[in-house]
Amino acid sequence: QVQLVESGGGLVQAGGSLRLSCAASGRSFSSYAMGWFRQAPAKEREFVAAISWSGATYYADSVKGRLTISRDNAKNTVYLQMNSLKPEDTAVYYCAGRYRFLGRNAYEYNYWGQGTQVTVSS
């Protein structure tokens, strides 16, 4: 069964950078579309970015130009490079996967990591 494990979260000052990683175990990683979601206290789970099996990328308007999603199929890993971070980016970030077709809705994904905390101080 596919398992996803996020890492790379932490505390950073506004304007700083972090890189999140999502390591996948299991077979057929290259067949999955992958996404990043986040959830802040008292808020609903929010779409952040997604990448298709072919490498096409999609972003929420709030993170365009600051966050970049990428994948390395040889390493079974998805990344989220986070630059120019703002306090509003503070949340638990989750890696998610689904077979082949990417989506921008949480209910479309059936594999989830445990989450990693990102805290941005002002």
Side-chain angles (χ1 to χ4, degrees):
Q1 188 65 35
V2 174
Q3 293 188 6
L4 305 175
V5 180
E6 304 96 332
S7 63
L11 175 64
V12 65
Q13 292 185 330
S17 299
L18 286 172
R19 189 177 76 160
L20 306 184
S21 298
C22 174
S25 62
R27 61 185 180 182
S28 303
F29 172 78
S30 63
S31 298
Y32 293 97
M34 304 296 296
W36 286 96
F37 293 78
R38 66 188 182 186
Q39 188 162 18
K43 293 187 177 181
E44 296 181 350
R45 188 160 40 183
E46 176 188 21
F47 169 77
V48 176
I51 185 166
S52 73
W53 59 270
S54 64
T57 57
Y58 302 87
Y59 298 94
D61 289 341
S62 61
V63 304
K64 285 182 178 178
R66 299 188 300 114
L67 276 60
T68 303
I69 189 172
S70 62
R71 67 191 298 165
D72 187 338
N73 290 340
K75 297 181 179 180
N76 286 0
T77 302
V78 179
Y79 304 97
L80 185 67
Q81 179 65 48
M82 310 171 71
N83 298 327
S84 301
L85 284 166
K86 304 175 181 179
E88 302 89 88
D89 296 317
T90 295
V92 177
Y93 283 72
Y94 296 93
C95 177
R98 65 172 298 191
Y99 178 68
R100 188 172 180 184
F101 302 113
L102 63 80
R104 302 179 188 182
N105 301 295
Y107 67 81
E108 296 176 305
Y109 292 81
N110 55 351
Y111 299 104
W112 291 88
Q114 82 289 350
T116 185
Q117 177 71 47
V118 172
T119 302
V120 184
S121 62
S122 60

